[in-house]
């Protein structure tokens, strides 16, 4: 919702992310580049194929993402869980990689353990 006078947004905001989907996570042994001394949080996001609220079909998607299991990683995990519950973490759009309509990222995730910024991985000194 938005104030009609000052245009400031208020209240809890919900997005257009598909309602059918899941976000889960586990901690795996081993550290990410640039985060030695801590384990790794591995997130798994799954969306089955479906039909949106306008009746338009979309393809499914499954992704893994990685965070260091430290204070910054745990804080970001809590924020990502909130974004997922509010349906703002993903949207629906045309995949740049596959050219099909499916859930697309609204929030930047590290989908590779390594390779740095150019490969959506670690190390990335500016991620946090």
């Amino acid at each position: 919702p938005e104030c009609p006078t000052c245009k400031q947004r208020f209240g809890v905001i919900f997005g257009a992310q598909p309602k059918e989907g899941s976000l889960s996570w586990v901690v795996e042994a081993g550290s990410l580049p640039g985060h030695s001394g801590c384990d790794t949080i591995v997130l798994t996001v799954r969306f089955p194929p479906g039909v949106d609220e306008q009746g338009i079909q979309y393809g499914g998607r499954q992704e893994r993402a990685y965070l260091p299991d430290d204070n910054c990683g745990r804080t970001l995990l809590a924020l990502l869980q909130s974004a997922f519950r509010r349906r703002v973490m993903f949207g629906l759009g045309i995949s740049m990689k596959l050219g099909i309509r499916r859930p697309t990222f609204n929030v930047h995730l590290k989908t590779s353990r390594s390779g740095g910024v150019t490969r959506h991985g670690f190390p990335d000194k500016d991620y946090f």
Side-chain angles (χ1 to χ4, degrees):
E2 179 179 276
C3 172
T5 305
C6 71
K7 304 296 183 195
Q8 183 173 354
R9 298 184 109 186
F10 62 91
V12 178
I13 298 170
F14 289 91
Q17 173 180 299
K19 290 181 180 179
E20 300 297 321
S22 64
L23 170 68
S24 61
W25 61 274
V26 298
V27 176
E28 291 184 355
S31 62
L32 296 165
H35 296 276
S36 61
C38 64
D39 290 329
T40 300
I41 300 169
V42 181
L43 295 96
T44 302
V45 180
R46 291 183 179 97
F47 291 102
V51 178
D52 70 13
E53 294 171 357
Q54 287 79 38
I56 303 170
Q57 291 185 331
Y58 58 86
R61 182 170 195 162
Q62 180 172 319
E63 292 290 343
R64 283 188 156 196
Y66 304 92
L67 298 170
D69 188 18
D70 60 12
N71 287 338
C72 288
R74 290 281 175 161
T75 299
L76 185 52
L77 173 62
L79 293 169
L80 292 172
Q81 288 173 310
S82 178
F84 193 87
R85 281 192 308 272
R86 292 181 180 182
R87 297 178 52 218
V88 296
M89 195 167 159
F90 285 81
L92 285 171
I94 303 299
S95 166
M96 293 175 69
K97 185 176 178 180
L98 302 175
I100 63 171
R101 189 163 190 271
R102 70 179 192 158
T104 54
F105 291 107
N106 284 343
V107 175
H108 178 69
L109 298 175
K110 293 294 186 180
T111 55
S112 178
R113 290 179 182 265
S114 62
V117 177
T118 57
R119 295 191 46 141
H120 306 289
F122 291 93
D124 181 352
K125 64 180 179 60
D126 297 321
Y127 189 60
F128 293 102

